[in-house]
Amino acid sequence: MKRIFMLSAVLVLLSGCSSISVRRDYDRTTDFSQLKTYAWEHAEQPETGDPRIDNDLMDERVRAAVNRELAAKGLVAGSKSDADFLVAYFITYKQRIGGSSVSFGIGTGSYGRYGSVGYNTSISDYDEGHLTIDIMDSATTNTIWRGVGVRTTYETAKPDKITKIVNQAVSKILKKFPPK
């Protein structure tokens, strides 16, 4: 019974490593029900100097996912001059150091008198990707809504996996936009 519990705990911890955590903030004075049309703030994503970010393939993935999510909410893409709001996104990477328990062992002594529980912990560094989506008032360009998704990144992921991760992140970030 203890082994099943320990194994379940390890699986839950490991599965949490690949999830996307999201936080949101918005201007409570904005009437989001009036927002119907949008445009992208930047026709081309601004260069950052980081080749992981300055990537046309990633730009296409993020923009397609945002456009799809906003369209599903009934919002219409248009020209910047006619838009009710503007959309921008930013990607950043932060290096983190983390530890994880990777193995457990349970043992008993002779006649069941002695017992032990052991585990092995490893420490490693990894990159954490941050995708920020800003919604701005088109008249003032002030941010009226911001969503940030954070996830551990893997540089060895295949294109289909990267697309799936971007789609999940954008969907989760925009899930509560516009706020009610």
Side-chain angles (χ1 to χ4, degrees):
M1 184 66 163
K2 287 183 183 179
R3 276 191 172 165
I4 293 172
F5 175 74
M6 299 281 263
L7 181 61
S8 297
V10 170
L11 291 175
V12 167
L13 288 173
L14 291 177
S15 67
C17 293
S18 65
S19 66
I20 301 163
S21 64
V22 174
R23 63 184 183 275
R24 299 171 191 90
D25 191 14
Y26 63 93
D27 179 0
R28 293 187 178 271
T29 63
T30 300
D31 183 2
F32 289 93
S33 67
Q34 299 301 309
L35 304 180
K36 306 292 183 208
T37 61
Y38 72 94
W40 285 92
E41 167 68 6
H42 310 286
E44 292 183 19
Q45 193 63 10
E47 297 273 329
T48 66
D50 186 335
R52 297 173 299 179
I53 299 168
D54 301 339
N55 176 336
D56 292 340
L57 298 171
M58 184 61 76
D59 183 48
E60 289 173 18
R61 286 181 182 108
V62 173
R63 287 176 188 259
V66 169
N67 287 334
R68 187 173 42 258
E69 290 296 321
L70 293 179
K73 296 173 180 290
L75 300 166
V76 178
S79 68
K80 200 169 177 179
S81 61
D82 297 329
D84 297 325
F85 66 96
L86 303 174
V87 180
Y89 80 89
F90 307 94
I91 297 174
T92 56
Y93 290 96
K94 294 182 181 177
Q95 191 170 36
R96 300 288 190 205
I97 296 175
S100 62
S101 297
V102 293
S103 63
F104 287 92
I106 300 175
T108 58
S110 59
Y111 306 108
R113 297 171 77 186
Y114 306 103
S116 65
V117 176
Y119 65 94
N120 184 15
T121 301
S122 69
I123 297 176
S124 61
D125 63 333
Y126 62 93
D127 283 333
E128 186 177 75
H130 294 238
L131 172 60
T132 302
I133 300 174
D134 282 345
I135 305 296
M136 297 167 286
D137 181 295
S138 61
T140 64
T141 66
N142 289 338
T143 302
I144 56 174
W145 187 94
R146 172 172 280 179
V148 181
V150 179
R151 183 186 191 283
T152 301
T153 62
Y154 304 98
E155 294 216 11
T156 59
K158 295 183 184 328
D160 289 342
K161 173 112 174 148
I162 295 169
T163 300
K164 181 179 178 183
I165 291 167
V166 168
N167 289 342
Q168 288 173 341
V170 170
S171 177
K172 199 166 182 180
I173 292 167
L174 291 175
K175 183 177 183 177
K176 294 186 179 179
F177 175 80
K180 304 290 182 220

